Amino acid sequence: MQSKHPLTGISSVAIHASGHENAEYAHITPIFATSTFTFDTAESGMERYSGPDKTRIYSRWGNPTFTAAEETIAALEAFGLKDEHGQQLVLKALLHSSGQAAMTTMFMSNLKAGDTVLSHFALYGGTNELFKSVLAGAGVKTTIINMRDLNLVEAALKEDSSIKLIHVETPANPTLQCIDLAAVSALAKQYGCILTVDNTFATPYLQQPFKYGADFVFHSTTKFLNGHGTAIGGVLLGKDLAFMNSTGWKWHTLMGGNSNAFDAFLLSQGMKTLELRMDRHCSNAMEVAKWLEQHPAIAKVNYNGLESHPDYAIAMKQMKHPGALMSYELKGGLKAGMQFIDKLNMCVRAVSLGTVDTLISHPASMTHSSLSVEERLKYGITDGLIRMSVGIENIADILSDLEQSLTGL
Ligand SMILES: *Cc1c(COP(=O)(O)O)cnc(C)c1O
């Protein structure tokens, strides 16, 4: 249930988009740890089965704790946007057990054997493997190009009429490449393709792909939306409510990628502070990037908020702030990179991203270790590259930990 008061700021939306209504007057939406729901009479059961709201029947189909998180994400992603009639945009969100589950629903419900997906080469590893292993097996081909070159995008669309869906991740792992959403969206419309956007790195606070014409937006809620690293989750958002309530919902529930009440509860708590956290993540990241760029042990910094980044202009055009992810190269290559990681005292050695603490990983030996050296180099993943998700600690402590780890390398 939405707030009756007009909400003009995104934190108000994050806190009040989902109301307090429940039979027990609990202030915070409870963890509904129940697989099924009861019917007072046979008739009320029949009504719930045939009605539009299927969240109080069986928890694979929905659960009030999931609904609370879904309403909040839908309101955040639609915040301040208008639909084609000039009315407040209304979105439907489907919460899943993981980002990968939400992505599977997104692709499987929109594609069939014989279709082709067009995408960019810098992709989340799981997305890439889903294309190669799962979708390929289901008869869906993938064409991977450099989508930062719009001429290549248009040429691919012109040449191959089996391209039904364009999937974009911006900014993307680990070199923070960005793709022009408005331009790609215009081409998608022109060639009758669906546009899906992975908005995990940006969050709806920094970038709203529906504003540029995206058809579906995807998030791994595991990252900034949860923010505290307490649960895996994913969400699929769509503006075609009829599709979301029929085909989208059907694929989601039949493939069984439902969330659970505890994870949904943790996600709802995390999202309330999204704006506060993101402001701090972002200001810290900007300072860290500028500091690293000056450091004598650092060869190169990939941060889309630095003018030296090739996609700086695109990031500035479509994002409120360039975000909290970056990668950098040590002059000493692989050996220096591994020594640097080992010497860290506060920053945490872990993959994943978007948590309140600063996380540092080494793509060549961790997230991208399954790729060949040639493939890695094509993606800009050199042996000495370090990936960093800047946290919300006090900036002086982040910089001093980096300084002591870089000393002597
Ligand atoms: C983590 C992540 C995913 C996958 O989400 P899971 O929650 O791990 O299943 C997809 N895309 C991006 C950009 C991610 O960072």
Side-chain angles (χ1 to χ4, degrees):
M1 184 67 78
Q2 302 262 319
S3 162
K4 288 189 204 79
H5 189 72
L7 303 173
T8 63
I10 199 160
S11 279
S12 309
V13 169
I15 294 164
H16 293 292
S18 172
H20 308 279
E21 297 79 6
N22 59 79
E24 306 298 336
Y25 296 91
H27 169 207
I28 304 300
T29 304
I31 299 170
F32 282 93
T34 183
S35 54
T36 193
F37 295 82
T38 59
F39 309 120
D40 286 340
T41 60
E43 195 183 355
S44 70
M46 196 177 75
E47 271 166 22
R48 248 185 278 164
Y49 254 88
S50 57
D53 180 10
K54 300 214 168 41
T55 57
R56 283 161 181 81
I57 298 173
Y58 185 57
S59 281
R60 177 157 49 76
W61 288 17
N63 172 301
T65 318
F66 309 172
T67 306
E70 289 170 337
E71 285 178 349
T72 301
I73 304 172
L76 289 172
E77 202 59 75
F79 176 65
L81 302 187
K82 301 267 181 267
D83 65 15
E84 68 269 32
H85 310 296
Q87 303 295 315
Q88 168 64 48
L89 179 69
V90 176
L91 300 171
K92 165 87 180 170
L94 291 170
L95 190 66
H96 288 68
S97 56
S98 68
Q100 288 302 120
M103 202 173 323
T104 303
T105 299
M106 179 165 81
F107 292 137
M108 297 298 255
S109 63
N110 278 299
L111 294 162
K112 57 181 188 327
D115 291 344
T116 299
V117 176
L118 181 67
S119 198
H120 179 65
F121 60 79
L123 272 181
Y124 179 71
T127 312
N128 199 25
E129 285 194 48
L130 189 69
F131 285 152
K132 278 198 209 152
S133 315
V134 180
L135 291 185
V140 174
K141 270 199 314 165
T142 309
T143 300
I144 302 280
I145 59 167
N146 178 6
M147 289 188 57
R148 287 148 75 238
D149 182 343
L150 295 168
N151 292 324
L152 291 180
V153 177
E154 176 139 38
L157 290 167
K158 217 176 244 167
E159 190 183 290
D160 186 354
S161 62
S162 76
I163 298 174
K164 291 283 149 50
L165 186 149
I166 302 177
H167 179 68
V168 165
E169 186 181 324
T170 180
N173 215 3
T175 52
L176 284 304
Q177 293 187 349
C178 297
I179 289 170
D180 188 328
L181 288 171
V184 170
S185 172
L187 285 170
K189 296 262 136 32
Q190 192 185 331
Y191 287 86
C193 294
I194 295 163
L195 176 62
T196 62
V197 180
D198 183 338
N199 205 26
T200 301
F201 276 29
T203 81
Y205 177 50
L206 302 184
Q207 174 176 278
Q208 291 171 288
F210 287 109
K211 184 174 172 182
Y212 305 102
D215 296 296
F216 296 91
V217 167
F218 157 89
H219 286 275
S220 163
T221 62
T222 312
K223 317 294 165 56
F224 291 102
L225 289 177
N226 172 301
H228 301 75
T230 53
I232 301 283
V235 70
L236 171 62
L237 293 131
K239 62 186 178 187
D240 180 345
L241 303 182
F243 176 92
M244 290 302 286
N245 286 321
S246 57
T247 313
W249 185 80
K250 199 166 171 178
W251 281 93
H252 165 50
T253 54
L254 290 177
M255 292 194 294
N258 54 280
S259 182
N260 66 81
F262 186 51
D263 288 354
F265 172 84
L266 292 170
L267 172 60
S268 284
Q269 305 323 306
M271 286 193 290
K272 292 174 193 180
T273 54
L274 180 69
E275 182 183 23
L276 286 175
R277 285 187 287 107
M278 291 312 290
D279 280 345
R280 178 70 161 250
H281 276 295
C282 290
S283 65
N284 277 355
M286 186 59 88
E287 287 209 38
V288 168
K290 285 186 180 152
W291 184 87
L292 286 170
E293 209 175 31
Q294 308 292 317
H295 199 284
I298 301 290
K300 187 179 180 212
V301 181
N302 302 305
Y303 181 56
N304 49 335
L306 292 176
E307 282 177 50
S308 56
H309 192 282
D311 302 330
Y312 172 75
I314 298 176
M316 290 297 119
K317 189 171 85 165
Q318 63 194 23
M319 298 180 76
K320 186 183 170 74
H321 187 283
L325 269 299
M326 69 186 65
S327 61
Y328 42 92
E329 183 105 30
L330 268 66
K331 283 187 183 150
L334 178 63
K335 191 160 164 273
M338 296 190 91
Q339 283 175 343
F340 163 73
I341 288 179
D342 287 347
K343 281 169 75 183
L344 291 165
N345 289 329
M346 182 190 78
C347 298
V348 178
R349 288 172 283 273
V351 294
S352 198
L353 56 106
T355 58
V356 288
D357 42 357
T358 297
L359 302 184
I360 293 197
S361 64
H362 180 236
S365 68
M366 298 173 186
T367 49
H368 294 71
S369 57
S370 66
L371 299 181
S372 68
V373 179
E374 296 77 53
E375 269 184 302
R376 269 200 274 123
L377 290 178
K378 199 172 87 190
Y379 301 156
I381 303 162
T382 48
D383 283 345
L385 195 75
I386 308 289
R387 209 272 307 268
M388 183 161 170
S389 170
V390 180
I392 65 170
E393 299 96 336
N394 298 95
I395 184 68
D397 292 326
I398 300 175
L399 295 182
S400 61
D401 194 22
L402 296 177
E403 174 67 55
Q404 67 81 21
S405 286
L406 287 170
T407 302
L409 295 183

